[in-house]
């Protein structure tokens, strides 16, 4: 078993056999010389082809079929689409109306807090429901992708509106009872 003379890197271009100097010995018969392809400029480049294919594919499109299409025609570049501002390379920018869903959820939570703290939760619940419905409409049109936040805002908004209506009905029922009404007004007038 023979050992190679020296280590060779796989990245080095292939070595061409050198021609022997005249008078150094017999020249072995190597057969016919290989024909070089007219479109190849040199030895094949095995490490560059996958990278070239990967970066060329998304930006190229085939020409349209028809009388102008010829069998050997080249690919043409597609329309250039600049990256969105603020988006990292390789990722698409978030849809433009995602803020509506976030606002709906924030207003819905705020409406519940305002209802239980000072009984004016409907002031935030109504905008929560409106922005929630606008966000769901934008999601159906493909302009937003956070429909879950909008749905949560709509639910909390409607719950707060429902609790406010129940509170108003309850107070109206209590004041329709004459004993409660007399007791309420006598307590407020006698305290001064």
């Amino acid at each position: 078993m023979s050992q190679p003379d020296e280590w060779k890197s796989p990245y080095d271009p292939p070595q061409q056999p050198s021609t022997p100097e005249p008078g150094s010995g017999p020249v072995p018969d190597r057969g016919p010389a290989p024909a070089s392809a007219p479109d190849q400029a040199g030895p094949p480049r095995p490490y560059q082809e996958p990278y070239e294919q990967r970066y060329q594919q998304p930006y190229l499109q085939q020409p349209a079929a028809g009388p102008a299409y010829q069998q050997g025609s080249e690919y043409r570049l597609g329309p250039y689409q600049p990256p969105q501002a603020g988006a990292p390379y390789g990722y698409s920018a978030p849809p433009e109306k995602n803020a509506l869903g976030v606002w709906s959820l924030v207003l819905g939570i705020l409406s519940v807090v305002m209802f239980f703290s000072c009984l004016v939760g409907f002031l935030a619940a109504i905008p929560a429901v409106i922005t929630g419905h606008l966000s769901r409409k934008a999601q159906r049109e493909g302009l937003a992708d956070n429909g879950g936040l909008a749905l949560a805002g709509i639910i909390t908004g409607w719950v707060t509106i429902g609790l406010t209506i129940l509170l108003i009905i309850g107070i109206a029922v209590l004041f329709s009872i004459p004993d409660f009404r007399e007791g309420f007004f006598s307590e407020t007038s006698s305290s001064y």
Side-chain angles (χ1 to χ4, degrees):
M1 182 168 181
S2 66
Q3 295 279 337
D5 292 341
E6 64 183 60
W7 180 80
K8 294 183 181 182
S9 170
Y11 300 108
D12 291 340
Q15 296 280 336
Q16 297 294 331
S18 60
T19 57
E21 295 181 19
S24 65
V27 178
D29 183 25
R30 296 186 184 154
S36 63
D39 60 338
Q40 263 188 338
R45 303 176 303 181
Y47 296 109
Q48 293 179 355
E49 289 176 12
Y51 299 111
E52 290 173 357
Q53 290 173 358
R54 184 174 70 189
Y55 289 117
Q56 290 176 358
Q57 292 299 329
Y59 301 107
L60 297 178
Q61 62 185 12
Q62 278 190 331
Y69 177 73
Q70 296 176 359
Q71 183 62 26
S73 66
E74 295 290 322
Y75 285 115
R76 291 178 287 173
L77 288 175
Y80 174 72
Q81 296 177 354
Q84 299 289 333
Y89 183 77
Y91 296 100
S92 61
E96 58 189 46
K97 291 195 175 184
N98 271 349
L100 288 173
V102 174
W103 274 108
S104 176
L105 180 63
V106 168
L107 288 170
I109 293 171
L110 184 65
S111 70
V112 172
V113 171
M114 288 173 60
F115 175 76
F116 286 112
S117 63
C118 54
L119 301 177
V120 290
F122 67 93
L123 294 175
I126 294 170
V129 170
I130 292 171
T131 56
H133 283 291
L134 289 175
S135 177
R136 299 282 287 187
K137 180 181 175 187
Q139 181 195 13
R140 284 190 298 271
E141 293 172 356
L143 300 174
D145 64 354
N146 58 354
L149 295 179
L151 183 62
I154 291 171
I155 290 170
T156 53
W158 278 116
V159 165
T160 304
I161 290 171
L163 289 174
T164 304
I165 291 172
L166 286 176
L167 179 69
I168 292 171
I169 291 172
I171 290 173
V173 167
L174 284 175
F175 275 101
S176 67
I177 301 172
D179 291 338
F180 178 79
R181 186 177 46 231
E182 290 172 8
F184 181 77
F185 289 121
S186 68
E187 287 291 324
T188 56
S189 62
S190 66
S191 63
Y192 291 110

